[in-house]
Amino acid sequence: GMNGLNFKATHTFSEPAYNDFHNVTMEWTENEFMGYDRIHIYIDGILIKTFAETGQLQDSGDWPFNDDFFFIINLAIGGNWGGSQGIDDTMFDNPVLFQVDYIRVYQYQ
């Protein structure tokens, strides 16, 4: 992502996201289109983004998903901007809670 090729998507919830748990799904399909992989991201069953492998991404080494990787589940506060500009600490006046009910990984068949 730091090479400027990050993929971004947004999703608008009908009510505040913190009112309930939500299902985030990543569905990786090998050779889905013209021999290239596709990764589909869903929130509560609604497709919000598809990452599509291309020959150009493969040739440039910018398709990282053919290497071993692992999940990192975290609540990042600040990011690159926060490190240089500081973080508004008043957000911590009330408890900040990050809950993950479960993580499941399945082999797509």
Side-chain angles (χ1 to χ4, degrees), residues 11-56:
H11 178 74
T12 303
F13 292 90
S14 58
E15 56 183 77
Y18 56 77
N19 281 352
D20 202 355
F21 283 100
H22 297 277
N23 289 313
V24 178
T25 304
M26 181 180 90
E27 182 181 85
W28 181 347
T29 307
E30 293 182 298
N31 303 314
E32 183 179 68
F33 182 73
M34 298 178 61
Y36 294 109
D37 295 357
R38 294 258 173 106
I39 298 174
H40 306 286
I41 305 294
Y42 301 83
I43 296 180
D44 296 331
I46 299 169
L47 177 65
I48 63 162
K49 184 68 178 178
T50 295
F51 305 114
E53 178 185 30
T54 65
Q56 182 179 2

Side-chain angles (χ1 to χ4, degrees), residues 83-94:
S84 63
Q85 303 295 318
I87 298 170
D88 181 3
D89 289 335
T90 61
M91 71 178 289
F92 299 110
D93 290 347
N94 296 308

